[in-house]
Amino acid sequence: MVIVFDRHLHFIHFVSSFIILCFLSQSCMPFQISSKIVNTKNAFYDKCIRSDRTSIELLSKTTPAPEESIATEQRASKSKKWFPVKPEDALLTQYNTIVRGAYVRHVVLETKEMVELAIKTYLGGSRRQSHDDVVDNDKGTNTLDPFGNLARDLSACVKSRNENGKIGWIDNPFHPSFKNKNNENVNEIVSELLSHHAIEELFRSKPKGGDILPIKSRSDDISGNKSSQWHLCRIDDLLIDYIPNSISNKDDTSTNSYMQFKQRGVNKVITSRSKLKGLGTTPTAPKILTESSDLAYNNMDGSTTAKTYHIATTGCQMNVADSERLAGVLENKLNLREAANSQEANVVILNTCSIRDHAEQKVYDTLGPYAARKRRGESIALVVAGCVAQQEGEALLKRVPEVDLVMGPQYVNRLDSLLDDVSRGHQVVATDPTLLSEDLSRPVRGDTLRAWVNVIHGCNEHCTYCVVPGVRGVEQSRSMESILQECLDLADAGYKEITLLGQNIDAYGRDMTPKRNFADLLHYLNSNIPDKTIERIRYVTSHPRYFSDRVIDAVVSLDKVCELFHLPFQAGDDTVLKNMRRGYTYSSYMKIINKIKKRAPEAAICGDVIVGFPGETDEAFQRTLDLMNEVKYDNLNTFAYSPRPNTEAALWKNQVPEDVKAERLQKVQRLAAQHGHERSERYVGKIVEVLVEDINPRNSLQACGRTRQNRQVFFDANFDEFRGKLVNVLITEARPWSLIGEIVTT
């Protein structure tokens, strides 16, 4: 057992408490509950009752009148409640309605002080200072599972401590399916290790996956034990129900006018479908064979069985990662394979992005050929997923009735059950905000060397131009242990580089109990990923408002974490930044940049910028150019502002003319290319480490790869010989966004 004590008082208290533990009975006193434990998620799913599904109408949305001016809007907003920031608070379908149960582990302790000390130990135990074996055989500890270490070292429960504190799946006693007509608890899956009282207290706290919560048991819960005990409970995962007829489009603007910009949606199953235009065909979908499909359905004749799929992806890295997860469900759960031709696929998914201008129209245009197949009577499942799906919701079905399923990003891991409904002839909408659970299927990666790893979903910032909070919901962090396990699986599969993904990655862990932070995650991964496996860890995207000096220290000190900071600034003028609701100024942003340049002078600095934001004057735009000249970015993503649906800035009257936006965009792009070339020139004459990734698509005799700073490098080499290896390359030529070099063989 390894415990770090901050104060002498804690040490004395721990010693006295540990002595008490030594005299406890060698078995955890069972609670007097007739029970059984179900240990697998599939078994738990089999207990679920399929709800009757009826169609309900979507409530109409009301759009409040735009404010007379930005200043008026900002003054009015000061007295208003901020957007929901906790996942459980953002749910407009009740927590206890969608959370059926939880997989729980625990550590039984005697005093509150021991609980506090155990939590500190857990948080401190997520770091290791070397890449030694993850299991210390002398101590029996496993650094991949710090909570399991606590259970083995501290727990008074002998029955669970040798199984890392395992309790197993526990029903949520407040879930409607576990109440009879007299509102009495009739749940079947309880536990001999937790009392009804403790279970109720646990679910009253509305836990999420990864949370660790102290629950005090009453003295009358434990047979023969006169004192109370504490259960330090960890939620490994949640079992989330899809509620087929729920709606959260209620108009709450009377109390808070900009609540219209939060995430909202509807879950709906439409069982009766009209004939389609043209030939008047009744829309059909192929049979989807899932684990839960009943025998009669599996033997049903006269329908096509889905065998192939096609996914078309637009947008950011998060969408690419989501498409890999969608493909994982299709291949690993439904046994489908990718179609050679999209027009021959049985299941077609458009995973959409709503960031760019005219995004919705592009989706409707893309749907055309697939909708035509449906009208001709072909049996295909047509799915619209992603941010446009969340944004448009049921309106997609009304405009393109050939669509079978509209699903938001939070429902990616529910694709199999949603397609099961589609195959029964139903139309389905799944956009109601929900909690996330860990995927059981493995993503189908688009690359064999580099992989995306989600660490936090959603965003709480509500920048006035941005659709992300409205389409991806509030922040929900994955547990450090789940993230690490995914990385270790990638390491076993031969991957060499991972990129950690988050819309606001610096917010990682602030939604968890107890809170974590992104720097600790970097340390945890760097310490526990074995050497000679994954060589590089990257991450995107940081937010200047929450950026921490600890992240700079981690990049400088950790050998796997690459020297690259992606820090979007969006604008250089303080008034524009305030109207964007970015939460920082030119000066505060430059303080961060100067710290980076001082602590990590060889690091690359990248960013994002938006020109033509409402109210941006020529003087304000010049401040953007000033900031660019002061920083000199290695790479800069440039955008002209476009009004997006359900964002505040889209309603403002002081929009910048399109020709002015275009002119300003050209200016920042020219300046960014100039700075990119200057930053590339610093590598000329130097030897850099390159991860060999691919063949140069324009020259088959050349290989290409990237430096730790993410600069692309081209050099003559046999790709098959060097694929996936780290090689040294002498840089001989600099270009704005790439380098030319010669491989150094000695």
Side-chain angles (χ1 to χ4, degrees):
M1 176 174 58
V2 179
I3 305 289
V4 178
F5 302 99
D6 295 328
R7 295 178 177 86
H8 294 298
L9 179 61
H10 284 156
F11 177 79
I12 295 171
H13 206 82
F14 170 77
V15 171
S16 61
S17 300
F18 189 69
I19 292 173
I20 294 173
L21 280 177
C22 293
F23 286 92
L24 289 175
S25 169
Q26 291 302 302
S27 64
C28 182
M29 300 298 293
F31 297 105
Q32 302 304 305
I33 301 174
S34 176
S35 64
K36 61 179 179 179
I37 301 176
V38 177
N39 295 320
T40 66
K41 200 163 189 174
N42 288 337
F44 204 162
Y45 267 113
D46 292 339
K47 296 283 183 182
C48 299
I49 301 173
R50 190 177 185 88
S51 304
D52 290 330
R53 296 174 173 179
T54 56
S55 175
I56 59 176
E57 293 300 320
L58 183 68
L59 295 180
S60 59
K61 298 182 181 178
T62 348
T63 303
E67 300 291 342
E68 291 300 318
S69 68
I70 299 174
T72 303
E73 188 274 344
Q74 289 174 335
R75 284 195 300 271
S77 70
K78 290 182 180 179
S79 61
K80 298 171 184 174
K81 183 181 178 182
W82 185 244
F83 301 91
V85 295
K86 295 182 179 180
E88 60 271 29
D89 294 337
L91 295 174
L92 296 175
T93 299
Q94 291 186 359
Y95 177 94
N96 290 322
T97 302
I98 68 170
V99 177
R100 179 177 285 267
Y103 192 93
V104 182
R105 293 189 287 158
H106 75 153
V107 177
V108 178
L109 300 165
E110 293 300 305
T111 67
K112 184 178 180 180
E113 289 78 12
M114 289 192 69
V115 169
E116 293 171 352
L117 182 58
I119 292 175
K120 287 183 179 180
T121 303
Y122 169 81
L123 295 175
S126 64
R127 287 193 182 188
R128 291 168 63 239
Q129 301 303 319
S130 66
H131 301 299
D132 298 330
D133 291 340
V134 295
V135 177
D136 187 329
N137 293 322
D138 293 333
K139 298 178 180 179
T141 58
N142 183 347
T143 57
L144 304 183
D145 183 16
F147 190 85
N149 295 340
L150 282 182
R152 286 190 299 274
D153 294 341
L154 296 180
S155 183
C157 179
V158 173
K159 286 192 174 183
S160 66
R161 70 187 182 198
N162 290 329
E163 293 186 296
N164 301 320
K166 173 183 172 182
I167 293 177
W169 287 103
I170 296 177
D171 281 344
N172 176 3
F174 307 112
H175 190 276
S177 64
F178 302 130
K179 296 284 185 180
N180 61 20
K181 62 182 179 180
N182 298 321
N183 205 34
E184 297 170 334
N185 192 323
V186 293
N187 57 315
E188 299 179 7
I189 304 175
V190 291
S191 173
E192 63 179 3
L193 303 180
L194 279 182
S195 68
H196 278 298
H197 164 72
I199 292 173
E200 288 178 354
E201 286 299 308
L202 180 64
F203 282 99
R204 282 194 184 99
S205 66
K206 298 180 179 179
K208 309 179 302 301
D211 282 354
I212 298 177
L213 303 164
I215 304 295
K216 187 176 183 180
S217 62
R218 298 190 303 221
S219 59
D220 58 356
D221 285 335
I222 304 175
S223 176
N225 191 352
K226 297 181 180 180
S227 63
S228 298
Q229 287 183 325
W230 286 84
H231 295 266
L232 189 60
C233 295
R234 174 186 162 84
I235 310 301
D236 278 3
D237 202 1
L238 294 177
L239 184 61
I240 307 295
D241 271 351
Y242 168 72
I243 308 301
N245 291 309
S246 63
I247 191 165
S248 59
N249 266 354
K250 296 179 181 178
D251 179 22
D252 53 10
T253 57
S254 59
T255 58
N256 191 338
S257 65
Y258 61 61
M259 282 293 103
Q260 63 178 303
F261 305 114
K262 70 180 180 181
Q263 186 187 31
R264 56 184 65 223
V266 58
N267 285 354
K268 190 171 183 178
V269 176
I270 302 171
T271 58
S272 178
R273 300 185 66 170
S274 302
K275 292 184 177 181
L276 300 174
K277 293 180 180 180
L279 301 177
T281 57
T282 300
T284 60
K287 183 167 61 174
I288 305 291
L289 299 182
T290 68
E291 294 177 359
S292 61
S293 298
D294 55 70
L295 183 61
Y297 174 68
N298 287 347
N299 293 330
M300 186 172 59
D301 294 326
S303 61
T304 302
T305 300
K307 296 180 180 179
T308 61
Y309 73 90
H310 170 73
I311 301 176
T313 307
T314 58
C316 67
Q317 302 99 321
M318 297 290 288
N319 263 25
V320 175
D322 285 349
S323 289
E324 292 178 346
R325 294 166 60 208
L326 289 167
V329 174
L330 294 170
E331 293 194 14
N332 299 325
K333 285 190 174 182
L334 304 181
N335 296 316
L336 273 63
R337 67 180 188 279
E338 187 173 8
N341 185 333
S342 64
Q343 288 299 315
E344 297 175 357
N346 304 124
V347 177
V348 176
I349 301 177
L350 306 185
N351 192 14
T352 61
C353 171
S354 59
I355 294 295
R356 298 298 183 94
D357 198 14
H358 307 303
E360 305 81 15
Q361 187 56 49
K362 292 175 182 176
V363 171
Y364 291 127
D365 292 342
T366 305
L367 282 170
Y370 303 110
R373 289 179 60 192
K374 199 88 169 177
R375 290 193 297 272
R376 290 195 298 267
E378 292 188 42
S379 183
I380 67 168
L382 188 52
V383 181
V384 180
C387 296
V388 172
Q390 181 70 43
Q391 173 185 293
E392 298 293 293
E394 193 180 12
L396 271 164
L397 300 185
K398 294 180 178 179
R399 183 162 175 178
V400 186
E402 293 84 358
V403 170
D404 299 292
L405 168 60
V406 177
M407 54 179 287
Q410 293 181 332
Y411 286 86
V412 167
N413 62 346
R414 306 296 301 241
L415 176 63
D416 54 332
S417 59
L418 297 175
L419 283 176
D420 185 42
D421 269 315
V422 168
S423 69
R424 296 170 189 270
H426 304 159
Q427 277 183 308
V428 182
V429 182
T431 58
D432 198 20
T434 189
L435 297 175
L436 301 179
S437 57
E438 281 296 316
D439 285 349
L440 295 180
S441 60
R442 300 181 308 278
V444 176
R445 309 285 181 178
D447 194 288
T448 58
L449 294 175
R450 298 177 296 158
W452 311 106
V453 177
N454 290 102
V455 302
I456 179 172
H457 301 266
C459 181
N460 291 353
E461 292 312 296
H462 291 274
C463 299
T464 57
Y465 57 83
C466 186
V467 299
V468 169
V471 295
R472 287 194 171 269
V474 300
E475 293 162 359
Q476 298 190 55
S477 302
R478 296 177 64 196
S479 71
M480 294 169 64
E481 293 87 345
S482 296
I483 296 167
L484 175 60
Q485 187 58 59
E486 182 174 352
C487 293
L488 294 177
D489 291 343
L490 290 167
D492 290 341
Y495 283 80
K496 296 298 181 182
E497 178 179 299
I498 58 170
T499 299
L500 309 178
L501 293 180
Q503 302 288 350
N504 178 8
I505 207 161
D506 293 298
Y508 173 79
R510 67 177 178 178
D511 60 303
M512 303 177 78
T513 305
K515 294 182 183 298
R516 323 291 205 274
N517 64 66
F518 182 56
D520 282 347
L521 176 63
L522 290 176
H523 278 275
Y524 180 65
L525 297 178
N526 194 85
S527 297
N528 287 292
I529 294 174
D531 285 334
K532 307 301 182 182
T533 59
I534 292 173
E535 303 282 359
R536 293 177 173 181
I537 299 174
R538 304 187 188 277
Y539 64 89
V540 289
T541 299
S542 291
H543 194 301
R545 185 176 185 176
Y546 301 100
F547 189 78
S548 166
D549 290 354
R550 294 187 61 196
V551 174
I552 302 177
D553 294 337
V555 171
V556 171
S557 62
L558 301 178
D559 62 319
K560 295 182 185 298
V561 180
C562 292
E563 297 81 5
L564 171 66
F565 297 90
H566 185 193
L567 207 63
F569 69 99
Q570 308 300 13
D573 181 74
D574 287 352
T575 300
V576 173
L577 288 170
K578 183 177 181 181
N579 291 338
M580 287 179 167
R581 199 185 284 131
R582 289 293 289 172
Y584 55 86
T585 63
Y586 185 118
S587 175
S588 63
Y589 181 87
M590 285 308 305
K591 286 181 180 178
I592 297 172
I593 296 298
N594 291 332
K595 287 180 181 178
I596 292 173
K597 289 184 175 181
K598 182 178 180 180
R599 293 279 289 116
E602 297 302 315
I605 301 175
C606 303
D608 299 349
V609 63
I610 298 171
V611 300
F613 184 78
E616 183 187 62
T617 63
D618 289 340
E619 293 77 12
F621 175 64
Q622 182 58 48
R623 290 293 286 161
T624 292
L625 299 179
D626 293 342
L627 190 146
M628 290 175 61
N629 281 318
E630 191 168 354
V631 177
K632 295 189 176 180
Y633 291 93
D634 290 73
N635 186 58
L636 188 65
N637 300 317
T638 60
F639 307 93
Y641 170 77
S642 62
R644 306 308 304 130
N646 304 319
T647 61
E648 295 173 68
L651 303 178
W652 296 346
K653 297 179 179 180
N654 54 347
Q655 302 292 325
V656 175
E658 293 299 322
D659 59 335
V660 176
K661 293 181 191 177
E663 181 183 357
R664 291 176 182 175
L665 183 62
Q666 289 179 2
K667 287 183 179 180
V668 297
Q669 287 175 342
R670 286 195 297 267
L671 187 58
Q674 176 186 325
H675 292 158
H677 195 270
E678 290 179 27
R679 295 295 289 168
S680 288
E681 286 180 333
R682 65 185 173 135
Y683 296 107
V684 175
K686 294 183 178 179
I687 295 176
V688 297
E689 180 189 84
V690 176
L691 175 62
V692 182
E693 302 167 357
D694 210 339
I695 299 173
N696 183 349
R698 297 183 178 180
N699 184 350
S700 60
L701 299 179
Q702 285 189 332
C704 63
R706 295 181 184 273
T707 67
R708 289 177 64 90
Q709 292 81 6
N710 210 34
R711 234 353 164 238
Q712 194 167 35
V713 182
F714 299 95
F715 53 95
D716 292 336
N718 183 339
F719 171 71
D720 293 334
E721 179 183 353
F722 293 102
R723 178 191 175 277
K725 295 181 179 179
L726 294 174
V727 299
N728 291 324
V729 177
L730 173 66
I731 302 304
T732 58
E733 181 184 343
R735 296 177 180 177
W737 314 122
S738 63
L739 305 169
I740 307 297
E742 300 172 353
I743 194 167
V744 179
T745 56
T746 56

